[in-house]
Structure formats: structure tokens, C-alpha cells
Amino acid sequence: MTNTTQDFGIEKALQNLGISKQNLGVSVGKNYFANGEIIESYSPTDGQLIATIQCGSVEDYKAIIEKAKKAFQEFRTIPAPKRGELVRQFGQKLREYKEDLGKLVSYEMGKSLQEGYGEVQEMIDICDFAVGLSRQLHGYTMHSERPGHRMYEQYHPLGIVGVISAFNFPVAVWSWNTALAWICGNVTVWKPSEKVGLCAIACQNIINQVLQENNMPEGISSMIVGNHTIGEILVEDKNVPLVSFTGSTRVGRMVSAKVAERFGKSILELGGNNAIIITENADLDMSIIGAVFGAVGTAGQRCTTTRRLIIHESVYEEVKNRLVKAYGQIKIGNPLDENNHVGPLIDQLAVNQYLDSIEKCKSEGGKFIVEGGVLEGKEYSSGCYVKPCIAEVENHFEVVQHETFAPILYLIKYTTLDQAIELQNAVPQGLSSAIMTSNLLQAEQFLSHAGSDCGIANVNIGTSGAEIGGAFGGEKETGGGRESGSDVWKYYMRRQTNTINYTTKLPLAQGIKFDL
């Protein structure tokens, strides 16, 4: 093992999580084996090989689906509060493994250790949310127009919920879906990003403990590491009535079409191009903190990352100068070192996209006030560490209209709030948005029908850091789906209207007569 794994306890964390130098990429419980290709997981932190993963084959996928179908027949009959008890136990296991799993998330993905711990905390929080919800799944009753009749609506589980997750949140997004799917009576099949396959295997190892300790059937929670072929099969599989996909808009568009073609349901969490409007009435101290964390957190690899700052002309120069000073204080380095603010990008492809976007911005007329570039030196030997940068641009620049998963922040000047909101909305994506203001009228305008067109709209906080209690998702090219809190559980169930006639007569609706 490298110094990184020894110095920061990664080797011990891997052992505790059941990760060895060679790992199975398929798991539905004990005694299950993968038969696909072997891939390697390298850490962007130090460029070192963590372990190899034997992926699942098409035949492995088919076997998993058969086990899931069988498990669903039993799991859906278990009362929802009992299913909630399984989720409660899973949350307790996560508390026990929080430090180990948080370190693995940080090491395999590259986000800061505090963010790694925070992601596991999100898993714990959604478990707590789901446990309470397991005793609150409800329908509606309504009056019938026919005498002696009662009407109500109820919700039933769908069956198998497929979860396809992205690298930037290796464990949290899966848990959002799984905790809610479980309490609703569904079973899950998870296809994680191959870039963070070890995190997925660790999660499956933890959930397997809960299932085995409760003598639950194999197939309630399954996971398969595989290439795009496995993902395509899952998307097109009629045995999977709901697919929750997190990833790019380009791939999400194909997922949406394929699932809709077979009349399935999809939850799509796609690209974001998030902006903070900083008004002339903003608290600038608070605004700078929100903007900097939103822009550089997770090295700009969040779907809620702050990509654009839309700044009132009266405070533009002051905000710009303070941002330059703040960026000069950012510490970039090993994400397992809690003194560092920013870790690496996920891989070399991400670095190339970052560099291409910088050049594209310059070619369109962007002026960089904080220059970017790839960091060199022994500490940055993986080649994935880049400098967070800032450019003055126009909102209509092509590069600004697209999401670059990297720490590039664009500054845009505005005159009136109407203009700022128009700029905020004038991108294809619609995930998260924010306004910084102490003026109540400005805040209410931003939140009104004529305000932000995003799924998330915040006042005096940044664009990232959503809580699990609220429905998470966006509009337009962000996909339109919702995950996590609120009444999102309804996405994981099918709705049914029931009418009961408790008389010996059969009156028809709308007063229709049909006498024999």
C-alpha cells in the first residue's frame, strides 16, 4: 500500500468494509460470483491502484433480476413499518461504518474528507427520514356521487427499481432511492459508475449484513458493476418498471426515451448550470462564502455546483476583488488531509474537459481574473489536480451555456433584477439557483411565478448543500425528476383508485340508466 493509504487509514478502512485487492462486482447476498471483465480502480488522490473489480456479465444481470423478482413477491407483503425497521438497522450500520466509508468515498472519488463524511451522513439522514415515512404512507378518501358507495385511493409498490448512479456522489444518491424504494415495498438493482465501484461494493457489503441478520431473501438489494452494456440492458428491461438515472443530459435523454418507449417510469437527475444572483442589497461576507464553496466544493463536480455569479453592477468590482482574494487562500491537495479545501478531478478525461472549456472560454472573449491550469509536483502526481479559476463572460457564450464538471466560475454583470432573473433562466438547465439579498421584495420576486425556473430556489444560501427533507431535482434539461424527501415516495409506487359498493343495488355514475 502507498503512504496515502497508510497515513490516512485507508488500508484499515478497506479491510473493515470487506474490500480486498480483488473484488466481486456483483452481489445479491452471500455466495455469489461475477463472471464479467476485470477493471481497475485508481485513486485520483495519488494515482495508485486501489483494487481490481470483476464486473458482472449479461448472464449475471439476468440472474440478479430473477432473484429480485422472486424477492419482491415476499418483500411487498411485509408491513411497511417492518420494512422501515430494516432501513433503521441499515442507518445504524452506516453510523458504525461512517468513518471507513467516508474515507473510501474521499479516496476513490477525490472529494474532501469532510465531504466524504457528509455524504455518508446524507445516507444516515435519508434512512431516518424513511423510517418515519414507513408509518405514514397514505392514500385519500373522497365522497362518491352514488349512494352507498365509498371511494379511496391507495398506493402499491412497483416491483424492481433500477438505480444508475454517477461518480460524483458514489453512495448518497443510491441510498436516497433505496431507502424510499424499500419502505414502499420495492426491491432495488443498482448499477453504479465503474469509476467508483469499490464504494458500491462496500455499501452492498453493509446492506447484506442487515438482510442476513434479518433472514431476508436474497435479491431485495442487488448491485452490479458493469460497463454501459449492463446499463442499457437495465434501461430497456421490462422487468424494471422504474429507472432512476443520475448522469449527463446527453445520456439522460437516451434513458428517458428508452424507458418511455416501454411505458416505464423514470426519475432523471441530469445536468445543472446553477447561478447565484448577488444583489446590491446582499450581505457580501455571506455571499462570498456561499459562492466560493458552491464553486469549488467537490472540485466543481456537483450537479449543484455554482457555475455562474450574476452580480449587480454597483457591487460587481467589490465582489470580484474579494473573490480573487478568497481564491488565493484555497488549499488544494490530498482530500484526506482535512486542511485542504479542494481535491482532484475524478480522472484525466475530466482534466481534459476542464482545459478545453478554459480555451473555449478564452476564444469566445472570456477574461480570466483567476487563471486555471493543472498543478504539478509530487503531491499532485496523479495529474488530476487543477486550479479553480474565474472568468468574466457574457451569459450567451456557448461555453457558459453548457455544464463543465470542473471548478470554473463565470462572472456576469447585471443592472436590474428582471434582467438578472432573465439571465439566470437563460440556460438549458434548471436545477439549482439562489439569490443573495436583504430586500424582502427582491427575495419574493425571485421565488415567484416570474422568478427562478429551477427545481431548487434558495434565498441567502448557495446553490449546493440540499437537505434530504426536500424534494431534490430540476426542470428543463435537468430532467424533471425528484429524489429524496417530501412526497417523493409516490414516484416509487403505483396509484390506484378504489370504489366499494356496500349496497345491494348498482347505480351507475353520472346518473346513467341501464335497466334489463
Side-chain angles (χ1 to χ4, degrees), residues 337-352:
D337 183 343
E338 296 187 57
N339 293 313
N340 292 325
H341 302 114
V342 179
L345 294 178
I346 184 65
D347 55 23
Q348 195 59 50
L349 176 61
V351 173
N352 293 339

Side-chain angles (χ1 to χ4, degrees), residues 251-474:
V251 178
R253 185 174 283 112
M254 292 186 286
V255 170
S256 177
K258 290 293 184 180
V259 174
E261 188 176 301
R262 60 176 176 84
F263 296 105
K265 298 170 63 177
S266 59
I267 298 173
L268 302 175
E269 172 45 51
L270 311 178
N273 196 345
N274 317 294
I276 298 176
I277 296 173
I278 300 180
T279 71
E280 70 276 23
N281 300 301
D283 180 319
L284 295 189
D285 291 337
M286 191 164 58
S287 299
I288 296 299
I289 293 172
V292 174
F293 175 75
V296 307
T298 324
Q301 297 172 113
R302 289 175 178 243
C303 51
T304 55
T305 290
T306 304
R307 309 285 175 198
R308 298 173 294 146
L309 285 187
I310 302 171
I311 309 166
H312 191 268
E313 58 185 7
S314 66
V315 294
Y316 183 86
E317 290 301 322
E318 182 178 356
V319 170
K320 182 174 74 171
N321 292 334
R322 293 179 68 167
L323 282 170
V324 171
K325 182 179 179 181
Y327 268 53
Q329 300 172 23
I330 293 173
K331 296 179 181 178
I332 308 168
N334 189 322
L336 295 170
D337 183 343
E338 296 187 57
N339 293 313
N340 292 325
H341 302 114
V342 179
L345 294 178
I346 184 65
D347 55 23
Q348 195 59 50
L349 176 61
V351 173
N352 293 339
Q353 291 172 341
Y354 158 85
L355 294 174
D356 289 344
S357 293
I358 289 175
E359 291 307 311
K360 177 69 174 176
C361 182
K362 290 179 178 179
S363 69
E364 291 190 75
K367 177 186 175 183
F368 278 84
I369 58 173
V370 175
E371 291 288 344
V374 180
L375 292 168
E376 298 179 351
K378 184 178 180 180
E379 185 180 358
Y380 312 115
S381 59
S382 69
C384 295
Y385 291 87
V386 302
K387 301 175 185 177
C389 55
I390 306 174
E392 295 179 282
V393 300
E394 297 293 335
N395 197 67
H396 65 266
F397 285 1
E398 183 180 356
V399 71
V400 177
Q401 292 287 309
H402 296 280
E403 178 187 47
T404 300
F405 237 45
I408 305 174
L409 179 63
Y410 302 118
L411 305 189
I412 301 161
K413 187 185 297 185
Y414 80 91
T415 303
T416 68
L417 185 56
D418 285 340
Q419 179 191 14
I421 293 174
E422 183 178 352
L423 289 167
Q424 135 77 43
N425 294 340
V427 292
Q429 308 83 3
L431 178 52
S432 186
S433 59
I435 188 171
M436 295 293 187
T437 181
S438 58
N439 184 300
L440 177 62
L441 300 182
Q442 290 181 326
E444 290 296 334
Q445 181 179 345
F446 179 73
L447 300 175
S448 73
H449 297 312
S452 170
D453 65 359
C454 294
I456 300 169
N458 299 326
V459 176
N460 290 329
I461 62 172
T463 59
S464 60
E467 297 182 33
I468 58 92
F472 182 86

